[in-house]
Amino acid sequence: MTANALDKTPVTLLGLGAMGTALARTWLAAGHPLTVWNRTAARADGLAAEGAAVAATAAEAVAANRLVIVCLLDDDSVGAALDGADLTGKDVVNLTTTTPAQARERAAWATARGARYLDGGIMAVPPMIGVPETGGYVFHSGSPELFEEHRETLAVPAGARFVGADPGHAALHDVALLSAMYGMFAGAAHAFALIRKESIDPAGFAPLLTEWLTAMAAPHVSQTADQLGSGDYTTNVVSNLGMQTAGVPAFLATAEQQGVSPELLLPYFGLMRRRLAEGSPQEDLTGVVDLLLR
Ligand code: FVH
């Protein structure tokens, strides 16, 4: 062990999939003593050669260090791995993707076994881990004391953002951002389908699409947040619901003419029309949010 390693918090990491392995390498590179465990032991071979200690069982890995990071496939695999491990006095940081309800249940489960618990939602893909300029980060929620104590260590693989004491909130932020991302992907798929059969080069079209989505995203998102906060959906409206809904037939006709299914857009257009029927044409699109709430 180097002198540098003596200053660094020792870390236990359960799970050496694509993400776990990327995380592991950053802690090793930063000089943290690292103990790893993976269900399929061979996946630890490369890290052993790079200086990680390899535990034979998850329980042994948990016993090795106070700070225990978990990055497994899903909540069931977390339950399976930690079953039988002594969590008394441990600081468990679970970066496995789960639902908010699973995160809350896992927090209660770990706390009842004597651990402090922090949940995490990783806003990065493996190549972004350990590369700060890519902007990857991890949402954390749960024990504020655990987060403060280990903030520096947690920030080694990617930025660490604390979003509150409710252990479900990291997962909720994660799923909310990813849901918005899939909506954007859906819009991009429709746009590419519209030009697909024409003599328009997708590579030339791509920067136009990126530029437009980038220009629209920030004002739309902040306007929606402001209006949800005030409850007034008619202030500072640039393109109102009445005008935008009047444009829907042109979008549907264009899709028809281009031989493109409107199935990705129809749900959103349906909500715009319902809101128009129930609300005011002077509103923004913010009322759609309320229609989604059951
Ligand atoms: N990779 C990504 O792009 C995303 C980015 C955002 C966050 N996710 C989440 O991170 C968790 C881990 O993802 P991963 O990429 O490491 O996933 P895999 O490469 O498939 O590795 C899965 C690991 O889980 C182990 N495992 C599975 N089932 C069990 C079980 N029943 N008991 C113990 N371990 C289990 C598996 O072990 P093995 O198959 O090698 O034996 C891997 O270590 C995940 O929540 C993503 O949603 C990644």
Side-chain angles (χ1 to χ4, degrees):
M1 189 184 296
T2 64
N4 185 33
L6 292 173
D7 302 334
K8 304 279 185 171
T9 302
V11 175
T12 281
L13 174 65
L14 306 183
L16 298 175
M19 183 54 80
T21 301
L23 297 172
R25 292 220 154 90
T26 65
W27 280 306
L28 280 177
H32 288 261
L34 181 69
T35 301
V36 296
W37 170 84
N38 194 63
R39 181 182 60 175
T40 306
R43 285 182 103 163
D45 290 351
L47 289 164
E50 292 168 40
V54 180
T57 64
E60 190 184 307
V62 169
N65 296 306
R66 178 170 170 185
L67 179 57
V68 177
I69 314 283
V70 185
C71 187
L72 295 167
L73 186 64
D74 55 15
D75 186 61
D76 283 349
S77 47
V78 175
L82 290 180
D83 184 38
D86 181 4
L87 297 184
T88 312
K90 299 297 174 182
D91 287 342
V92 176
V93 181
N94 183 11
L95 303 182
T96 306
T97 301
T98 67
T99 69
Q102 286 173 324
R104 288 175 185 130
E105 279 168 31
R106 189 57 64 195
W109 180 91
T111 306
R113 283 159 181 75
R116 294 193 296 185
Y117 184 89
L118 197 62
D119 207 80
I122 304 175
M123 303 310 300
V125 291
M128 294 164 75
I129 298 299
V131 189
E133 52 277 24
T134 61
Y137 63 90
V138 181
F139 284 123
H140 291 281
S141 70
S143 166
E145 297 80 18
L146 190 169
F147 180 75
E148 282 312 321
E149 208 169 299
H150 296 295
R151 181 195 278 265
E152 216 176 300
T153 304
L154 295 174
V156 167
R161 300 187 186 187
F162 187 71
V163 288
D166 182 332
H169 278 187
L172 186 55
H173 279 73
D174 182 8
V175 172
L177 294 200
L178 292 175
S179 300
M181 177 192 80
Y182 282 118
M184 181 184 70
F185 287 174
H190 185 84
F192 276 116
L194 286 178
I195 64 150
R196 190 75 177 130
K197 293 181 190 158
E198 304 277 344
S199 57
I200 298 173
D201 179 10
F205 181 73
L208 302 174
L209 184 54
T210 303
E211 202 181 314
W212 180 243
L213 290 176
T214 306
M216 287 296 101
H220 173 78
V221 168
S222 68
Q223 175 88 317
T224 304
D226 288 349
Q227 292 177 347
L228 289 173
S230 70
D232 175 1
Y233 301 169
T234 59
T235 299
N236 297 328
V237 177
V238 176
S239 306
N240 70 42
L241 180 64
M243 180 281 292
Q244 297 210 55
T245 308
V248 165
F251 287 93
L252 297 180
T254 303
E256 174 77 28
Q257 288 155 19
Q258 297 303 111
V260 171
S261 164
E263 64 196 296
L264 288 173
L265 292 184
L266 282 179
Y268 193 71
F269 286 156
L271 288 162
M272 284 166 60
R273 285 172 158 158
R274 250 175 73 200
R275 182 66 193 182
L276 182 64
E278 296 169 11
S280 153
Q282 303 310 323
E283 283 185 0
D284 220 318
L285 298 174
T286 305
V288 167
V289 178
D290 295 335
L291 289 181
L292 291 175
L293 298 174
R294 290 194 178 135

